[in-house]
């Protein structure tokens, strides 16, 4: 067989030939911007030319600091296709962390949304590698800034060559992208993506056995492009020729719903809190949608959320699981043919698992004593291996804790059933250890969120003088004005769990603190309430 | 990213974990045989163990000489997974050619259907490398034979280890399979498949943009497993966990139709003549089918055939194109979203093209003067490149004629439109050159086959004293008893083609001679009628 390498360049070249007339749309402040794949292709090549003019060399990192839009997509292809490395920077990190990762990755050039310039200005004196700032937009869009040198993206493109030639000797194992993931302690850790890894991951997204992303789809990545490649959708959607819709800056649930309706979105991807927001909006403003695949990951979705989309709106809610380290798609909850005849509630049970392994990957279930049987009952840590799983963190001593004997240790506690369906039990660090037994905080949260009055719920283990830890529940009510007694919520749990699993108290919040990517920040709650039972010891 | 290789072993291991309970069915003389993937997996590992016992080493070739059934499937995985090379031998070749390819491939062991033993017996004295013959079946199924040593497959398996360990250090670029393809002149030419190539080809078969083969399918490869890996279906179907149905020995159209109905086949694959036979049967015995994808390749399907399946039975007829050298899937005629609103006749036009390129491959359209524009009008030779395209013939001097500057020269004359739809015009060698202009024999054949009285038609260029060549038509009527005048058929063509394209004569046959894989053997007709107009010169 021919020794042709697996490169992002192929995805780009293929789509230019196969889908020149397909559309790419971005929501803007004034309405929407739209152009064709052919336009996208020309501008992408011009961007590569402009970056080369700015001195970007093969293998060097170019950072992006931006929302989801068509210019960000141009960067997604222009940077890897020229042999450089696309470093997507999480705009929601603390300035300290942003400075750390830009310096750690040694970004040469940063591509920035105008609205996000102030963040970079606040850390500019600490950036050691950046040689140019390119602001997405026209010269008129570039505000007065202390950054230097600064260029307007559109001006650079206008001056750039249309016939920039991409290298023809790229190695499929060469890096093409980077993304940093938050660590429990210390600075974020960098994951390096290769051409081969993202090529295969893109192919996996097109399988009828997984997401089945195809030319017939209109795909909207709500998940940020600065977070694990927006789950790889931009790469796969361009390759397979889908219409693509970008939500632009800071979209509200209302804006997302309108965009879905207006553009005929068939597949959208976001974290549970996003789908929760859209659901609330949809319930207030019912309207016909073409949405057939609601892809949800980032953290486990409550069953009540899945039920609402499936039962009320007939929208297939596709629960998926992955991490920055896994490109990210690792499992997806697609029903198998034998499930189709099951009653709705049983189908919902499978829908609410994290699903089965994506073809191309391998997994293991491991406990202190080695491998654990796949019986759907016993839980252990999930280990992953495969061509789109990272093998280390970039220049980071902490690699050895996560990558052991060729396997990624996910830090997620799961069960696996006899057909390979994975069910997330908890993060290893979020399991509550009470009286020598483990309690799943996630199971309790999902159960609480199934209560009609509850909007969001988090459960954390808080140190306890007698039991080591005891679960403490935090609840955000749908309607704060309409108080629900703690006892009602705890009684609601009593039907579902052993007595010793029931949280010892419920605290009502107006919002659950969240990480930059929308996950519950349980560490914050745990620290804030660490003395809750220690101080209450005398009374309990 | 992890450096995990792309191996057939992964497909096998994955499906053992994901689909242990799915079913594999073979049509037998007495009804049907069925077992689960788990059974298949156990026996496959036992077969590897038995072959190792017979002395098969890594990299050595093991030949199969058999119809499509579950034992052949076991060989499909057992041989590559142990690091040996699966050589599928075309049972329809002439004995001379069979002897040539077994010796050329240096097959160590042959796995043979009992009914096919006589062919091997006739050439046994000329086989130089074979050390053992294994007959598919029980000892009682092995007839008296002059071959030696002979083993019964089931006895070998019963004696074999269940825990045979597959090597863990296989290289993804190592050979895993071989298939010989007929040459216009001389002996067949060998194509070597690698693990990487077949892995990627299998993934391509699962894309929603192509065939979309998935767990929900019941797949029936009618195309022989001795012909280009039965188009890769056995590998992809096992990986993705489809139910698989094998038609067994020498199936008739009637048997195929019954099997489709009985087993709920959703996807079947065969050459046009097979689909023609099934259509005739279906018209006589209408019955409900679950068939949703009729995959057709090997040669161009007449539009009338596609129309019948689409219009009358609502079955998606998926025209595909490929060669032994391309693993084989290269293009597939899936409609794009923009075609969905077109009138039926226009949709049919796209359905009857060879379709668009499968993601992962590259193509060019080339004439004497270099690359030709993709305008759907101008034709040239199709060139292909990609990770599942062969780069040479096995130990064969003729490689240099077909593999030039890194591209496979297909020998097929095509047009390509602006969206990449490929339309087969002819084989380079079958184009008719009349008065310095080219005439497409395939276009004339398809037009003739659209006439209600015509079952099959072939057109060849026959030497002509004045025009160099002139087209001569050969026609098989649906009902031989009901003669149709030549003039009616030629008038039928006159509405569709320029005057000088119209064949100068029509010859009625009871059958068009076909190659071992069901393609029209036009060379035979051309040779048989080479003097047709030379001798008729005086009169014309």
């Amino acid at each position: 067989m021919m020794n042709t390498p697996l490169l992002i360049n192929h995805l780009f070249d293929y789509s230019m030939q196969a889908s020149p007339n397909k559309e790419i749309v971005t929501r803007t402040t004034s309405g929407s911007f739209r152009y064709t794949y052919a336009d996208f292709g020309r501008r992408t090549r011009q961007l590569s030319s402009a970056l080369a003019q700015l001195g970007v060399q093969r293998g060097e990192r170019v950072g992006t600091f931006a929302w989801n839009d068509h210019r960000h997509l141009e960067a997604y292809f222009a940077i890897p296709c020229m042999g450089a490395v696309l470093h997507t920077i999480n705009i929601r990190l603390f300035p300290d962390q942003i400075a750390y990762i830009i310096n750690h990755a040694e970004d040469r050039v940063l591509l920035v949304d105008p609205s996000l310039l102030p963040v970079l200005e606040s850390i500019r004196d600490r950036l050691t590698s950046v040689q140019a700032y390119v602001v997405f937009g026209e010269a008129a869009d570039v505000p007065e800034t202390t950054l230097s040198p600064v260029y307007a993206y559109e001006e650079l493109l206008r001056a750039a060559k249309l016939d920039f030639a991409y290298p023809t000797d790229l190695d499929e194992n060469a890096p093409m992208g980077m993304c940093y993931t938050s660590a429990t302690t210390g600075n974020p850790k960098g994951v390096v993506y290769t051409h081969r890894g993202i090529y295969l991951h893109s192919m996996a997204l097109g399988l009828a056995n997984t997401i089945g992303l195809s030319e017939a789809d209109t795909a909207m990545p709500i998940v940020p492009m600065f977070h694990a490649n927006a789950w790889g959708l931009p790469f796969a959607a361009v390759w397979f020729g889908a219409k693509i819709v970008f939500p632009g800056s800071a979209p509200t649930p209302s804006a997302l719903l309108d965009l879905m309706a207006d553009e005929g979105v068939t597949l959208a991807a976001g974290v549970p809190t996003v789908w929760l927001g859209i659901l609330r909006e949809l319930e207030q403003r019912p309207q016909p949608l073409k949405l057939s695949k609601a892809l949800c990951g980032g953290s486990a979705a409550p069953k009540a959320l899945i039920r609402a989309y499936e039962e009320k709106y007939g929208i297939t809610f596709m629960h998926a699981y992955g991490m920055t380290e896994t490109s990210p798609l690792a499992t997806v909850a697609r029903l198998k043919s034998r499930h189709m005849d099951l009653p709705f509630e049983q189908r919902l049970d499978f829908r609410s698992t994290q699903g089965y392994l994506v073809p191309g990957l391998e997994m293991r279930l491991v406990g202190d004593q080695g491998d654990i049987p796949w019986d759907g009952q016993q839980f252990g840590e999930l280990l992953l291996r495969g061509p789109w799983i990272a093998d280390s963190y970039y220049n980071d001593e902490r690699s050895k804790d996560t990558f052991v004997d060729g396997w990624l240790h996910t830090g997620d506690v799961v069960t696996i059933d006899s057909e390979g369906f994975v069910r997330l039990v908890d993060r290893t660090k979020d399991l509550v250890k009470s009286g020598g037994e483990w309690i799943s905080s996630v199971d309790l949260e999902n159960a609480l969120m199934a209560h009609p009055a509850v909007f969001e719920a988090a459960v954390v283990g808080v140190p306890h003088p007698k039991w080591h830890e005891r679960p403490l529940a935090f609840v955000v009510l749908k309607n704060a004005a309409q108080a629900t007694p703690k006892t009602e919520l705890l009684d609601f749990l009593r039907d579902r769990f052993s007595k010793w699993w029931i949280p010892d108290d419920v605290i009502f919040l107006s919002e659950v603190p969240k990480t930059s990517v929308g996950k519950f920040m349980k560490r914050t709650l745990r620290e804030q309430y660490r003395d809750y039972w220690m101080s209450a010891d005398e009374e309990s």
Side-chain angles (χ1 to χ4, degrees), chain A:
Chain A
M1 299 283 106
M2 290 179 182
N3 188 23
T4 50
L6 313 180
L7 298 173
I8 298 303
N9 303 61
H10 171 72
L11 279 55
F12 179 71
D13 292 340
Y14 180 92
S15 90
M16 288 303 105
Q17 290 186 334
S19 317
N21 304 317
K22 292 304 288 279
E23 219 177 20
I24 297 168
V25 183
T26 296
R27 169 187 154 270
T28 64
T29 45
S30 57
S32 65
F33 170 87
R34 60 189 69 227
Y35 66 1
T36 65
Y37 271 47
D39 298 328
F40 154 74
R42 271 189 295 276
R43 286 168 52 89
T44 295
R45 209 172 274 275
Q46 285 176 299
L47 174 55
S48 301
S49 176
L51 290 172
Q53 283 289 317
L54 289 176
V56 173
Q57 302 287 318
R58 202 191 279 201
E60 288 188 342
R61 271 72 63 204
V62 176
T64 61
F65 197 68
W67 295 95
N68 291 10
D69 70 7
H70 61 285
R71 292 191 182 103
H72 207 163
L73 185 73
E74 289 159 9
Y76 256 57
F77 283 84
I79 297 166
C81 285
M82 69 189 290
V85 180
L86 166 77
H87 172 204
T88 53
I89 304 163
N90 186 339
I91 63 174
R92 297 198 186 116
L93 293 177
F94 295 109
D96 272 1
Q97 294 177 316
I98 294 171
Y100 170 81
I101 69 175
I102 292 173
N103 289 335
H104 190 260
E106 299 176 81
D107 292 335
R108 287 279 172 258
V109 174
L110 292 182
L111 307 177
V112 195
D113 271 347
S115 63
L116 301 170
L117 277 174
V119 183
L120 295 185
E121 286 167 351
S122 73
I123 54 171
R124 86 188 147 101
D125 293 337
R126 292 148 65 189
L127 301 184
T128 53
S129 61
V130 181
Q131 292 166 353
Y133 299 86
V134 178
V135 180
F136 280 132
E138 296 285 354
D141 300 324
V142 182
E144 197 69 35
T145 175
T146 55
L147 298 174
S148 170
V150 165
Y151 303 88
Y153 185 86
E154 294 297 335
E155 298 209 333
L156 283 185
L157 255 57
R158 266 195 298 278
K161 290 200 302 182
L162 278 161
D163 62 349
F164 181 80
Y166 286 129
T168 54
D169 60 345
L170 291 176
D171 185 320
E172 68 182 37
N173 292 306
M176 58 63 64
M178 276 194 93
C179 188
Y180 282 73
T181 180
S182 299
T184 316
T185 54
N187 281 309
K189 298 173 283 188
V191 173
V192 174
Y193 303 109
T194 62
H195 282 270
R196 173 182 163 112
I198 296 301
Y199 178 110
L200 292 169
H201 181 264
S202 303
M203 213 156 183
L205 285 175
L207 293 176
N209 257 13
T210 65
I211 319 289
L213 178 63
S214 85
E215 185 271 339
D217 277 311
T218 295
M220 179 162 79
I222 307 173
V223 48
M225 292 171 81
F226 55 73
H227 179 53
N229 304 320
W231 302 349
L233 286 177
F235 294 115
V238 166
W239 193 3
F240 302 133
K243 176 180 167 184
I244 311 178
V245 178
F246 290 110
S249 302
T252 59
S254 161
L256 291 170
L257 182 62
D258 288 343
L259 205 53
M260 281 187 193
D262 294 349
E263 300 294 341
V265 169
T266 61
L267 184 163
V271 293
T273 48
V274 162
W275 286 114
L276 208 54
I278 293 172
L279 180 64
R280 278 186 156 186
E281 190 68 26
L282 185 59
E283 283 174 346
Q284 283 161 34
R285 297 193 289 129
Q287 53 196 292
L289 295 178
K290 288 192 181 167
L291 190 69
S292 58
K293 289 174 264 190
L295 189 62
C296 184
S299 55
K303 201 166 173 178
L305 179 66
I306 304 176
R307 178 194 303 278
Y309 278 98
E310 293 263 335
E311 198 171 33
K312 194 160 171 191
Y313 299 100
I315 293 168
T316 300
F317 195 91
M318 298 182 80
H319 212 188
Y321 165 84
M323 311 164 67
T324 303
E325 293 85 340
T326 65
S327 290
L329 191 68
T331 69
V332 59
R334 194 179 186 97
L335 296 186
K336 295 196 173 184
S337 44
R338 75 166 191 85
H339 299 138
M340 294 307 173
D341 298 331
L342 294 177
F344 179 78
E345 289 302 320
Q346 286 183 45
R347 275 185 284 142
L348 204 60
D349 284 342
F350 284 98
R351 279 250 171 265
S352 65
T353 69
Q354 274 52 50
Y356 58 81
L357 194 66
V358 172
L361 299 181
E362 298 167 72
M363 66 181 173
R364 284 170 62 198
L365 182 64
V366 169
D368 295 337
Q369 313 299 318
D371 282 87
I372 290 172
W374 294 13
D375 59 9
Q377 298 295 325
Q378 299 178 65
F379 55 72
E381 187 178 8
L382 180 67
L383 272 53
L384 290 168
R385 183 162 77 177
W388 58 88
I389 309 291
D391 62 356
S392 64
Y393 294 117
Y394 181 66
N395 290 344
D396 201 311
E397 281 297 315
R398 291 168 290 182
S399 294
K400 64 180 187 314
D401 304 330
T402 302
F403 306 94
V404 184
D405 295 335
W407 291 85
L408 165 69
H409 290 243
T410 62
D412 283 313
V413 178
V414 305
T415 63
I416 307 180
D417 78 6
S418 60
E419 281 181 311
F421 277 81
V422 173
R423 188 183 292 271
L424 201 56
V425 174
D426 217 330
R427 290 289 295 167
T428 47
K429 60 179 169 41
D430 289 336
L431 276 178
V432 182
K433 189 155 200 178
S434 170
E437 298 287 341
W438 295 106
I439 295 171
S440 163
S441 64
V442 172
D443 282 358
L444 291 169
E445 287 161 5
N446 285 340
L448 279 169
M449 287 193 275
H451 188 283
V454 174
F455 177 55
E456 281 178 346
V459 173
V460 302
V462 169
H464 191 281
K466 183 169 174 191
W467 303 108
H468 179 66
E469 285 182 342
R470 284 296 299 155
L472 176 60
F474 297 85
V475 166
V476 181
L477 292 172
K478 278 182 185 159
N479 185 346
Q482 219 165 356
T484 305
K486 290 178 184 186
T487 49
E488 181 182 325
L489 296 176
L490 294 175
D491 285 346
F492 186 71
L493 295 179
R494 266 182 252 280
D495 298 342
R496 291 164 180 74
F497 299 100
S498 312
K499 195 177 156 198
W500 58 276
W501 272 52
I502 310 302
D504 288 3
D505 201 357
V506 177
I507 292 171
F508 292 99
L509 301 176
S510 60
E511 194 180 2
V512 175
K514 298 195 187 66
T515 69
S516 60
V517 294
K519 296 185 196 181
F520 290 166
M521 205 141 71
K522 296 210 234 177
R523 191 157 54 98
T524 305
L525 291 172
R526 217 164 14 231
E527 280 164 16
Q528 208 175 332
Y529 289 84
R530 62 188 311 163
D531 299 326
Y532 194 68
W533 282 308
M534 293 303 189
S535 56
D537 185 26
E538 305 306 306
E539 306 154 42
S540 71

